[in-house]
């Protein structure tokens, strides 16, 4: 009897050993091929980190090629917060991140850095459509970089910091920040810094110089998927400068290439392209076509909050011009409800604002 009991106990123990991990499992998803890597994240730097497995050599991942991380030591609200952030629900995302941060007691230094960076990131994205959040976003991003300068999200946060500074009107600060971004070891980030330089020139109304900067960035892109995305972002910047120069037919040709040949799953790129397309069509007196362009953003890309607010404001104008006042009122009401603090909401001043 005793021998049979020991045999059974040994069998159960062996089964448990084969199904229970011997160490914590973090899961990283690589952007370039959507492949997942499981293990323990080690050897962190701003350029790369390793995922140590139970057996075999560790996997090395480049920081710019990471699309998602699931941390073993974090509560479920970290994952839920990422879903909210991706859906444009930034306030809810920050609440979930903060809750997970409080619940994940005794977390590793890497996980502590993760909380600092993702809370700052969500705040920065929110600030792009809500100017009242800009100061907090800049402060949080700078604090995360100062306390964890060798974390893999460093350059991602530098890019967001520059965008927040530019949105707040600090062109000099943005230029210094994007100069840091240009020091990243990957060509797509260097191109992002060059594109940002073009956007700063737009903000300074140096449109001819901006066009040249965007053209150079587009020409410098390699055939890699990451560089090709930057190419279309550069073309988008060129189109924006061309719209501001009132060269609307030229801008529409560029934008048609972006919407037709650019990556369809890059919502931010497509949303901005359709807003600019609507702007040029409006300027050419083609109001119905402009309404269709803005509707693309309202229907397909509403998660892109900055461009969605712009589209709603412009829909409120073009619906009036095509004699559809009810739809104009709907667009205004949606703008007020969703983006009460945006610059586009403030541009409704002078019109009869819809009821809150």
């Amino acid at each position: 009897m005793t021998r049979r009991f020991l045999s059974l106990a040994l069998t159960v123990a062996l089964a448990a050993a084969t199904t229970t991990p011997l160490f914590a499992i973090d899961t990283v998803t690589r952007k370039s091929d959507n492949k997942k890597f499981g293990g323990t994240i080690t050897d962190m730097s701003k350029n790369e980190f390793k995922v140590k497995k139970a057996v075999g050599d560790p996997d090395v991942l480049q920081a710019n090629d990471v699309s998602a991380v699931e941390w073993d030591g974090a509560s479920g609200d970290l994952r839920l917060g990422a879903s909210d952030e991706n859906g444009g629900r930034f306030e809810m995302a920050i609440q979930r991140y903060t809750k997970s941060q409080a619940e994940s007691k005794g977390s590793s230094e890497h996980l502590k850095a993760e909380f600092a960076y993702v809370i700052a990131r969500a705040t920065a994205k929110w600030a792009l459509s809500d100017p009242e959040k800009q100061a907090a976003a800049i402060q949080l991003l700078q604090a995360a970089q100062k306390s964890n300068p060798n974390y893999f999200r460093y350059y991602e946060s530098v890019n967001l910091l520059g965008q927040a500074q530019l949105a707040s009107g600090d062109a000099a600060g943005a230029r210094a920040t994007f100069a840091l971004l240009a020091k990243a070891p990957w060509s797509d980030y260097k191109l992002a810094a060059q594109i940002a330089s073009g956007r700063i020139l737009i903000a300074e109304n140096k449109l001819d110089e901006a066009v040249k900067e965007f053209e150079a960035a587009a020409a410098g892109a390699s055939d890699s998927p990451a560089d090709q995305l930057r190419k279309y972002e550069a073309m988008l910047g060129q189109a924006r400068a061309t719209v501001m120069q009132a060269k609307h037919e030229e801008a529409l040709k560029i934008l048609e290439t972006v919407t037709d040949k650019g990556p369809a799953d890059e919502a931010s790129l497509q949303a901005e392209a359709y807003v600019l397309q609507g702007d040029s069509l409006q300027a050419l007196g083609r109001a119905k076509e402009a309404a269709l362009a803005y509707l693309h953003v309202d229907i397909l890309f509403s998660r892109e909050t900055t461009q969605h607010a712009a589209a709603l404001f412009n829909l409120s104008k073009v619906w009036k011009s095509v004699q559809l006042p009810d739809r104009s009122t709907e667009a205004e009401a949606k703008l007020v409800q969703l983006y009460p603090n945006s610059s586009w909401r403030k541009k409704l001043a002078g019109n009869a604002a819809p009821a809150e």
Side-chain angles (χ1 to χ4, degrees):
M1 182 70 71
T2 302
R3 192 173 292 174
R4 289 178 60 190
F5 175 80
L6 289 173
S7 178
L8 178 61
L10 182 59
T11 301
V12 171
L14 286 171
T18 59
T19 57
T20 303
L22 298 179
F23 60 105
I25 298 295
D26 304 315
T27 304
V28 183
T29 303
R30 189 163 60 190
K31 187 188 303 182
S32 55
D33 57 7
N34 212 36
K35 183 178 178 181
K36 292 184 181 295
F37 298 82
T40 301
I41 293 175
T42 64
D43 299 313
M44 183 71 67
S45 79
K46 64 181 67 174
N47 298 339
E48 65 182 26
F49 59 85
K50 295 179 180 179
V51 181
K52 184 179 179 181
K53 300 173 289 188
V55 179
D57 294 332
D59 295 303
V60 180
L61 289 123
Q62 294 295 303
N64 70 325
D65 198 21
V66 174
S67 62
V69 180
E70 295 179 29
W71 294 88
D72 175 76
S75 71
D77 276 295
L78 179 58
R79 176 177 52 80
L80 294 172
S83 178
D84 282 325
E85 184 183 343
N86 291 334
R89 300 179 295 276
F90 303 122
E91 184 174 13
M92 179 60 73
I94 293 166
Q95 289 174 1
R96 290 193 188 278
Y97 289 150
T98 304
K99 183 172 181 285
S100 182
Q101 185 180 40
E103 292 172 346
S104 303
K105 302 296 184 182
S107 54
S108 68
E109 292 303 312
H110 294 333
L111 183 51
K112 289 177 182 177
E114 176 77 351
F115 284 122
Y117 272 95
V118 297
I119 290 171
R121 182 182 66 193
T123 307
K125 290 180 181 178
W126 193 4
L128 295 179
S129 62
D130 187 343
E132 293 188 3
K133 302 294 183 296
Q134 288 171 355
I138 291 169
Q139 183 178 13
L140 286 169
L141 287 166
Q142 290 175 332
Q145 292 163 13
K146 183 178 180 180
S147 59
N148 299 283
N150 290 314
Y151 195 60
F152 84 98
R153 295 196 188 277
Y154 173 81
Y155 283 117
E156 174 190 63
S157 74
V158 167
N159 193 9
L160 281 170
L161 175 59
Q163 292 179 48
Q165 290 170 321
L166 184 57
S168 71
D170 182 9
R175 184 171 275 113
T177 297
F178 287 123
L180 290 177
L181 187 66
K183 296 180 180 179
W186 316 287
S187 62
D188 63 314
Y189 271 57
K190 293 180 185 297
L191 289 171
Q194 189 172 8
I195 292 165
S197 175
R199 289 185 177 263
I200 293 171
L201 290 169
I202 285 180
E204 296 172 336
N205 203 35
K206 299 175 181 177
L207 301 180
D208 289 336
E209 294 179 47
V211 168
K212 291 179 181 178
E213 193 78 351
F214 292 129
E215 288 176 339
S222 72
D223 291 334
S224 73
D227 273 25
Q228 282 297 297
L229 173 58
R230 300 302 186 200
K231 172 185 173 181
Y232 288 107
E233 289 176 355
M235 293 177 67
L236 197 58
Q238 181 186 352
R240 180 173 291 279
T242 306
V243 169
M244 294 177 67
Q245 292 173 319
K247 299 177 182 179
H248 297 294
E249 295 290 357
E250 182 180 337
L252 287 172
K253 290 179 181 178
I254 298 170
L255 292 166
E256 184 178 1
T257 300
V258 174
T259 56
D260 288 352
K261 296 183 179 180
D265 58 346
E266 290 294 336
S268 177
L269 179 85
Q270 295 292 334
E272 186 175 354
Y274 278 112
V275 167
L276 289 174
Q277 190 179 79
D279 292 349
S280 280
L281 290 167
Q282 263 199 99
L284 293 170
R286 294 155 62 178
K288 290 183 179 179
E289 294 173 77
L292 183 60
Y294 295 130
L295 274 176
H296 271 82
V297 183
D298 188 28
I299 295 171
L300 299 177
F301 306 116
S302 61
R303 293 179 178 180
E304 300 303 314
T305 55
T306 304
Q307 303 305 328
H308 190 215
L312 290 172
F313 172 81
N314 282 285
L315 280 170
S316 74
K317 292 169 56 181
V318 294
W319 286 138
K320 287 179 182 176
S321 68
V322 297
Q323 308 303 313
L324 290 172
D326 290 345
R327 298 199 71 174
S328 173
T329 300
E330 285 179 18
E332 287 188 13
K334 188 183 282 191
L335 176 58
V336 170
Q337 178 187 4
L338 296 178
Y339 309 106
N341 298 320
S342 74
S343 60
W344 296 105
R345 165 65 178 91
K346 291 178 173 63
K347 288 184 180 183
L348 289 176
N351 298 331
E356 302 269 353

